[in-house]
Amino acid sequence: MNSPTEQQLGAAFRDLVAEQPFTPDISAIEHRARRARRRDRIVRGGIGAGVVAVAAVTAVGVASAVPSGQAGTAQAVGAHPTTQASGTHPASTGASASSSASASAGTQQPLVQLAALIAAEPRPKGNATLVERETTLAGQATVKVWDLYTDDGRYFFSQTKSGLPAQVQADNNQGDGLFAREVAAATYAVTGNLDTAALKMAWAADTTPPPAWIKAQVKNISAGGLQIDNYVWEGSEDALVVGSGNPQVRAGVLRLVSMLPGVSVTHGTVDGQPALTLTASGAEFGSGMSYQEAITINANTGIPLKMDGGTPGTVDTTVTWVVTRVNLADIAAGKF
Amino acid sequence: MMSSPEQEYLEFAGSRAASLHRTAYLLCGDWHLADDLVQETLVQTFRHWRRVQRADNQNAYVKRILINEFNRHWRRYGGLPVSADNDRLEVAVPDISDEVVNRADLLCALLTLPARQRATVVLRYLEGMSERETAAVMRCSEGTVKSQTARALNALEGCLKHKELPL
């Protein structure tokens, strides 16, 4: 039996919370939960054939540009000879490109400058991007799979290189429009208004119009720790991989990431390549505050090299990519 | 077509949202933040729906998620989500029973309790949970619930102006 004090406290509590209506935003809940599930699959899904295909859809990570030498293809690094030769990022180039788009006050200048440099480059040959993706989970075996992203928005997946032609021949498109929307948002970000681009990227997972609450968050994105930060980060990760063979997409992603206050940028090298590592702190991951991701890109081309995911000081997942520009017909014919 | 688990989730979320919202408000003292905490709680519930469905006590499981979300917020922002200045506290309804309790004072006192004590008394006296249920949600012993409750009651008692209860 509760004491009078306890009874009174219970009544007072009920009074305090009376008559305050609340209706959960189911659309936003599903949106966020599905993204979280996707991330779970990335972390766990590299091992186990049954889920690799799903993991591939959300590849977060890392691409390494390696020449294929195949006829009819244009290797990604080779598509940026000017950048390779210079190895620097002229400020004048960055200024000229950034002048056509609004940038938030807190943007990361190295990313903005690199984006400007990349955006000025010609589109590489080929009509698809082949990504050889290798996932390593702590204490488990490494898994390598193949993702093929066509420029018209289709996505093909195979657990083996030799199995990819059959997927293309059968037109087993596993894309559902998400990648196309994310790539479109990134492309828009190259010269468009960054707030608008952020909204497009944040809501790319949905086909419904963005709700008012996320529109409101765009205005406060510099505050950090918002859901939109997480959405933009995750969408940008997807787009960076899907569009890794397209300099416009990479440039747009870098501009978008540059406006996220929870992302830090550090310089380094990976396998002899100059690299930038973009680390998204827990603030970008909503409730998963102890989780963080670090994407490393080539400092000259913006091509993603690798992603490390885990808690600070501990890497649980590493994904690496090898990016190659290809022709779809060559893949179908097994010429790659 | 919506799958059965999703339909079940929607029914569950619809039936628990208001209760979660009330609890969240007493934990944080801000209705807008309570909105966010409940939204995130329901995201996590959706994300782990199969696990929630298998739980012996789904209500306790989801309350635990809410407590975790609140604790994350508490750790991240390092203190009260809103000022403990009672001039700024949102009180849902006008004080029509000032002869018994000043709601703003009570909410202020509640928000200045350590987070664990606050969660304990909210679960015990708003949710009506037993000491055993509260211990399950808080993942502590019943003895800890007793001690946390006693300390919290001692701190809050000054806000409760006792009136004579009929025999």
Side-chain angles (χ1 to χ4, degrees):
Chain A
M1 177 68 73
N2 286 343
S3 68
T5 298
E6 291 171 301
Q7 291 177 32
Q8 199 173 12
L9 187 59
F13 279 174
R14 288 189 290 276
D15 278 350
L16 275 172
V17 297
E19 300 175 8
Q20 185 71 20
F22 174 72
T23 302
D25 185 342
I26 296 296
S27 172
I29 288 170
E30 290 184 342
H31 177 100
R32 186 166 170 76
R34 290 185 200 286
R35 278 197 172 275
R37 282 180 176 175
R38 287 177 39 172
R39 184 157 304 283
D40 289 345
R41 292 189 188 107
I42 293 169
V43 172
R44 295 195 302 264
I47 308 300
V51 291
V52 170
V54 181
V57 175
T58 55
V60 176
V62 191
S64 176
V66 175
S68 69
Q70 293 292 327
T73 65
Q75 187 270 330
V77 165
H80 313 287
T82 304
T83 308
Q84 290 280 44
S86 68
T88 58
H89 315 117
S92 58
T93 307
S96 62
S98 61
S99 63
S100 60
S102 70
S104 299
T107 52
Q108 293 272 5
Q109 284 306 312
L111 298 185
V112 173
Q113 291 175 357
L114 178 57
L117 192 69
I118 297 168
E121 294 179 356
R123 187 170 184 129
K125 295 177 181 177
N127 57 12
T129 298
L130 176 64
V131 178
E132 181 181 330
R133 176 167 52 96
E134 191 170 274
T135 302
T136 303
L137 304 181
Q140 299 187 53
T142 294
V143 171
K144 183 183 291 185
V145 295
W146 278 260
D147 303 308
L148 181 65
Y149 305 100
T150 68
D151 291 352
D152 61 10
R154 287 177 289 166
Y155 166 62
F156 301 99
F157 167 80
S158 177
Q159 293 176 39
T160 62
K161 184 177 182 180
S162 60
L164 194 55
Q167 296 295 315
V168 176
Q169 292 162 16
D171 196 24
N172 188 17
N173 172 26
Q174 298 189 36
D176 60 0
L178 170 62
F179 293 155
R181 292 191 293 274
E182 290 171 337
V183 164
T187 305
Y188 178 87
V190 176
T191 55
N193 178 278
L194 270 185
D195 287 347
T196 304
L199 188 61
K200 287 176 180 287
M201 183 63 83
W203 210 247
D206 280 75
T207 55
T208 57
W213 65 265
I214 197 141
K215 289 181 179 176
Q217 287 197 1
V218 171
K219 297 180 176 62
N220 299 317
I221 199 165
S222 61
L226 303 175
Q227 282 177 305
I228 192 170
D229 297 350
N230 173 249
Y231 292 2
V232 170
W233 171 256
E234 293 185 351
S236 296
E237 286 180 314
D238 281 352
L240 187 61
V241 178
V242 174
S244 54
N246 183 339
Q248 291 292 308
V249 176
R250 299 198 304 272
V253 165
L254 294 181
R255 287 184 57 77
L256 279 169
V257 171
S258 77
M259 71 188 295
L260 298 178
V263 175
S264 61
V265 180
T266 55
H267 294 263
T269 58
V270 174
D271 296 333
Q273 300 180 61
L276 294 176
T277 297
L278 323 177
T279 301
S281 65
E284 306 297 348
F285 292 99
S287 63
M289 63 181 296
S290 62
Y291 180 72
Q292 69 176 33
E293 290 179 344
I295 293 182
T296 302
I297 62 175
N298 182 294
N300 292 331
T301 66
I303 292 175
L305 300 173
K306 72 167 190 169
M307 185 282 290
D308 294 310
T311 53
T314 303
V315 175
D316 299 323
T317 308
T318 296
V319 185
T320 61
W321 284 302
V322 176
V323 176
T324 311
R325 282 293 288 178
V326 296
N327 283 311
L328 196 58
D330 292 333
I331 299 295
K335 296 177 182 176
F336 67 105
Chain B
M1 177 180 288
M2 186 175 291
S3 66
S4 178
E6 289 189 352
Q7 184 60 46
E8 290 168 6
Y9 167 78
L10 290 178
E11 291 173 1
F12 179 87
S15 66
R16 306 301 166 91
S19 170
L20 288 168
H21 195 229
R22 291 191 293 267
T23 303
Y25 172 68
L26 287 191
L27 292 175
C28 70
D30 180 275
W31 286 114
H32 299 298
L33 179 56
D35 290 354
D36 292 342
L37 288 173
V38 175
Q39 280 285 123
E40 192 59 34
T41 296
L42 292 176
V43 167
Q44 299 305 324
T45 304
F46 186 94
R47 185 179 175 185
H48 303 293
W49 179 234
R50 290 183 187 279
R51 201 179 302 167
V52 174
Q53 285 183 302
R54 290 196 296 266
D56 293 335
N57 186 335
Q58 293 181 357
N59 186 49
Y61 194 103
V62 176
K63 283 290 177 356
R64 178 68 215 169
I65 295 175
L66 175 65
I67 298 289
N68 285 342
E69 291 303 322
F70 167 67
N71 287 337
R72 285 194 184 99
H73 183 94
W74 179 272
R75 286 195 298 268
R76 179 182 300 177
Y77 296 104
L80 289 175
V82 295
S83 168
D85 177 355
N86 63 9
D87 288 339
R88 295 180 54 190
L89 292 176
E90 299 177 48
V91 178
V93 293
D95 267 334
I96 57 175
S97 58
D98 282 344
E99 73 277 10
V100 179
V101 175
N102 182 298
R103 291 185 177 85
D105 286 348
L106 175 61
L107 186 56
C108 182
L110 180 66
L111 293 177
T112 54
L113 290 177
R116 194 165 178 167
Q117 285 185 30
R118 192 185 324 160
T120 301
V121 292
V122 169
L123 293 175
R124 290 279 287 117
Y125 302 118
L126 177 67
E127 298 295 326
M129 288 186 172
S130 67
E131 289 172 344
R132 177 172 296 179
E133 289 172 320
T134 304
V137 172
M138 299 295 293
R139 293 186 180 169
C140 63
S141 69
E142 291 181 48
T144 300
V145 171
K146 288 180 193 291
S147 63
Q148 295 286 310
T149 301
R151 289 175 190 154
L153 285 175
N154 187 49
L156 297 175
E157 196 166 27
C159 301
L160 303 172
K161 301 170 186 174
H162 295 292
K163 65 179 181 180
E164 294 296 326
L165 295 175
L167 294 175

